């Protein structure tokens, strides 16, 4: 057989094998790579839940999708990742609800202070609030959609000097992310606010550009903020979970069966995330104490009183009807599921 004939037969066999693999969904040529960006460190709960999500997507789609995870802001900080989600530059991201408010302002209302008191109340709010589900339904028109809600917990403070009451806040600069509701609450407590990406915060505290930051315990521990701001004050002033979102451009490429598989994987990862974060908080606090952090629970009344004006400010900006809808949903949930 001539060399040209041998090559022709070999190429034919290769093409046939590739075609068969594609039809069977087992070949490398049939696999689609998707990009998942987030800002948590590799050892954090977001990364752990993202790994569960990626594994479950692969399992439920017979290996047709390979989700590559980029932690610690490798691709973008939170606002930029959401912009890339809309543009199709990344396929998935997970971030605090307020981070998405740049693209749907009403989501700022989820960051109103002291809406819920327990994890279970927060889960009920995010899974079953009529108002919030209605807002989430508006997001596909923006360019992304919510698949499930992962957990981060309740926001508290880490500061370079003790924070026993709002009086102490008056001498401090507090880092905030780009969210009006968080900024209003911090200013009502007495802080001077400085907006910056979370990826810049550790160094900013270390250099004295700001005196502290506020985030859930899981984030404080993962990003090691207690190392440079060792006073951890557990105010739990805002419930701050993490909607997992998918680019609408990516979603539209999935078959209905694959959409169902991805959503199922997202719900599995949400259950994992909620269980992990809720059951890790106490041990994380103890680990931070062992590393030198000074953890305290202040009298909450003065902080609640300080932020009372935020609700009226929100009514003036977002409309009394919208504010009162989410407040009513939260009140009904607190009544149905009282704190133990």
């Amino acid at each position: 057989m001539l060399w040209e004939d041998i090559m022709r037969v070999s190429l034919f066999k290769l093409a046939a094998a590739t075609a068969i693999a594609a039809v069977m969904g087992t070949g490398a040529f049939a696999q689609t790579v998707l990009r998942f960006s987030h800002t948590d460190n590799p050892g954090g709960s977001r990364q752990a839940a993202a790994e569960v999500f990626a594994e479950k997507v692969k399992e439920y789609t017979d290996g047709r999708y390979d989700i590559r995870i980029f932690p610690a802001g490798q691709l973008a900080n939170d606002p930029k990742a959401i912009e890339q989600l809309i543009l199709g530059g990344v396929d998935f991201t997970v971030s605090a609800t307020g981070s998405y408010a740049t693209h749907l302002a009403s989501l700022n209302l989820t960051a109103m202070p002291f809406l819920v008191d327990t994890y279970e109340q927060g889960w009920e709010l995010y899974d079953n609030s009529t108002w919030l589900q209605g807002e989430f339904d508006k997001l596909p028109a923006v360019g992304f959609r919510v698949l499930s809600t992962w957990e981060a917990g309740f926001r508290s403070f880490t500061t370079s000097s003790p924070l026993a009451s709002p009086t102490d806040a008056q001498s401090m600069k507090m880092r905030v992310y780009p969210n009006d509701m968080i900024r209003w609450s911090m200013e009502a407590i007495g802080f001077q606010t400085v907006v910056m990406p979370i990826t810049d915060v550790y160094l900013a505290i270390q250099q004295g550009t700001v005196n502290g930051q506020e985030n859930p315990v899981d984030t404080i521990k993962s990003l090691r903020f207690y190392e440079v701001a060792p006073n951890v004050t557990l105010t739990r002033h805002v419930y701050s979970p993490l909607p997992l979102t998918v680019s609408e451009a990516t979603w539209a490429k999935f078959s209905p069966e694959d959409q169902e598989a991805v959503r199922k994987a997202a719900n599995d990862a949400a259950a994992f995330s909620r269980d992990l974060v809720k059951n890790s908080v106490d041990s994380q606090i103890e680990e931070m104490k062992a590393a030198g952090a000074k953890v305290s629970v202040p009298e909450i009344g003065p902080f609640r009183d300080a932020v009372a004006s935020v609700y009226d400010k929100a009514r003036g900006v977002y409309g009394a009807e919208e504010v009162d809808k989410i407040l009513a949903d939260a009140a009904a949930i607190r009544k149905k599921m009282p704190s133990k």
Side-chain angles (χ1 to χ4, degrees):
M1 184 179 290
L2 295 176
W3 175 250
E4 291 82 359
D5 294 330
I6 294 172
M7 288 300 296
R8 190 178 300 112
V9 171
S10 298
L11 289 172
F12 175 79
K13 288 180 178 179
L14 177 61
T18 301
I20 291 169
V23 170
M24 295 177 66
T26 59
F29 292 99
Q31 191 174 61
T32 300
V33 174
L34 301 173
R35 304 207 301 173
F36 188 143
S37 173
H38 69 81
T39 55
D40 197 15
N41 274 347
S45 68
R46 264 176 275 186
Q47 176 67 14
E51 290 171 359
V52 170
F53 176 62
E55 291 167 5
K56 291 297 184 180
V57 167
K58 184 174 290 188
E59 176 186 344
Y60 296 152
T61 63
D62 298 320
R64 291 193 303 279
Y65 295 97
D66 178 23
I67 296 178
R68 305 280 175 85
I69 305 165
F70 297 86
Q74 290 178 24
L75 297 183
N77 60 33
D78 287 308
K80 293 295 184 183
I82 295 167
E83 289 177 12
Q84 286 299 309
L85 201 69
I86 294 170
L87 297 172
V90 300
D91 301 289
F92 302 97
T93 195
V94 61
S95 186
T97 316
S99 297
Y100 299 102
T102 301
H103 306 283
L104 183 63
S106 57
L107 293 180
N108 274 320
L109 298 179
T110 63
M112 285 192 292
F114 301 108
L115 279 180
V116 295
D117 302 317
T118 68
Y119 286 101
E120 290 78 9
Q121 291 173 3
W123 300 340
E124 182 71 12
L125 179 70
Y126 270 74
D127 292 347
N128 295 312
S129 162
T130 301
W131 177 83
L132 187 51
Q133 291 304 314
E135 298 310 292
F136 283 168
D137 288 344
K138 298 174 183 177
L139 292 174
V142 176
F144 58 91
R145 67 175 59 213
V146 172
L147 293 173
S148 65
T149 302
W150 296 4
E151 190 56 85
F154 290 82
R155 303 181 81 88
S156 289
F157 294 104
T158 49
T159 51
S160 53
S161 57
L163 177 66
S165 73
T167 301
D168 296 325
Q170 294 173 14
S171 61
M172 297 186 191
K173 293 181 180 180
M174 177 60 55
R175 175 268 174 179
V176 296
Y177 69 99
N179 178 275
D180 285 344
M181 200 65 58
I182 294 291
R183 181 171 55 82
W184 295 343
S185 294
M186 297 303 100
E187 291 171 353
I189 290 170
F191 295 106
Q192 179 181 340
T193 57
V194 179
V195 177
M196 69 173 62
I198 197 168
T199 46
D200 296 344
V201 173
Y202 188 102
L203 185 60
I205 297 174
Q206 195 172 45
Q207 294 178 338
T209 305
V210 294
N211 304 110
Q213 62 85 49
E214 49 85 52
N215 256 301
V217 166
D218 183 75
T219 304
I220 292 168
K221 174 68 168 55
S222 172
L223 299 183
R224 309 175 77 89
F225 291 139
Y226 62 91
E227 293 180 343
V228 287
N231 296 279
V232 181
T233 307
L234 300 175
T235 48
R236 293 166 52 94
H237 49 274
V238 171
Y239 178 61
S240 186
L242 305 164
L244 167 67
T245 49
V246 58
S247 168
E248 192 64 15
T250 302
W251 185 255
K253 295 175 184 176
F254 294 145
S255 67
E257 293 77 16
D258 285 347
Q259 288 178 352
E260 182 179 352
V262 169
R263 194 174 290 282
K264 182 180 178 184
N267 289 332
D268 288 350
F272 170 87
S273 171
R274 287 174 171 181
D275 181 71
L276 175 63
V277 172
K278 179 188 175 185
N279 293 313
S280 297
V281 170
D282 289 345
S283 62
Q284 288 173 332
I285 289 172
E286 291 306 313
E287 288 174 26
M288 289 191 290
K289 284 182 179 178
K294 301 167 186 173
V295 181
S296 63
V297 180
E299 183 182 350
I300 298 300
F303 288 93
R304 285 184 181 271
D305 293 343
V307 299
S309 62
V310 172
Y311 300 104
D312 286 334
K313 191 164 187 175
R315 288 186 178 95
V317 172
Y318 298 99
E321 183 178 359
E322 294 301 300
V323 173
D324 290 341
K325 281 179 182 177
I326 187 171
L327 290 178
D329 281 355
I333 289 167
R334 291 196 306 273
K335 183 177 180 180
K336 181 175 75 171
M337 307 173 67
S339 304
K340 296 180 181 179

